[in-house]
Amino acid sequence: MITQTMVQPSSWVEAGVTIQTIRGLNLFKFTDELQARLEALIDQQKANTLTAQEEAELAGITELDRIFTLINARIIAES
């Protein structure tokens, strides 16, 4: 297992996540601002220009994305 420093994913839950109703299901979705930040960090990562702080931020947002993808998949599967 590789140890990685990351910004706590929970730090974005209040302001960076919304609940959107899609086909009658309430699913978790990033706000436009958080989605744009994720995409900007990914672009910087591809260009190999991330700072250590930005790497930690990217790791945290990516982890939150994984969590919500799993939760949304379970919500959909159980509907």
Side-chain angles (χ1 to χ4, degrees):
M1 177 183 280
I2 298 173
T3 303
Q4 182 178 21
T5 302
M6 78 168 125
V7 175
Q8 289 291 339
S10 59
S11 66
W12 288 286
V13 171
E14 188 67 32
V17 176
T18 63
I19 297 175
Q20 185 175 17
T21 302
I22 300 173
R23 296 183 185 154
L25 300 174
N26 293 323
L27 302 177
F28 294 95
K29 184 176 186 283
F30 284 173
T31 61
D32 291 340
E33 294 81 13
L34 185 56
Q35 184 65 41
R37 180 64 179 154
L38 173 59
E39 291 170 11
L41 290 169
I42 290 170
D43 288 343
Q44 284 183 258
Q45 183 183 43
K46 289 177 183 176
N48 210 16
T49 60
L50 284 177
T51 65
Q53 182 177 355
E54 289 168 333
E55 286 179 18
E57 185 180 2
L58 177 58
I61 297 171
T62 301
E63 182 64 17
L64 186 61
D65 185 50
R66 284 188 201 116
I67 291 166
F68 286 139
T69 298
L70 174 62
I71 292 170
N72 286 340
R74 287 188 178 184
I75 290 169
I76 292 166
E78 293 176 6
S79 66

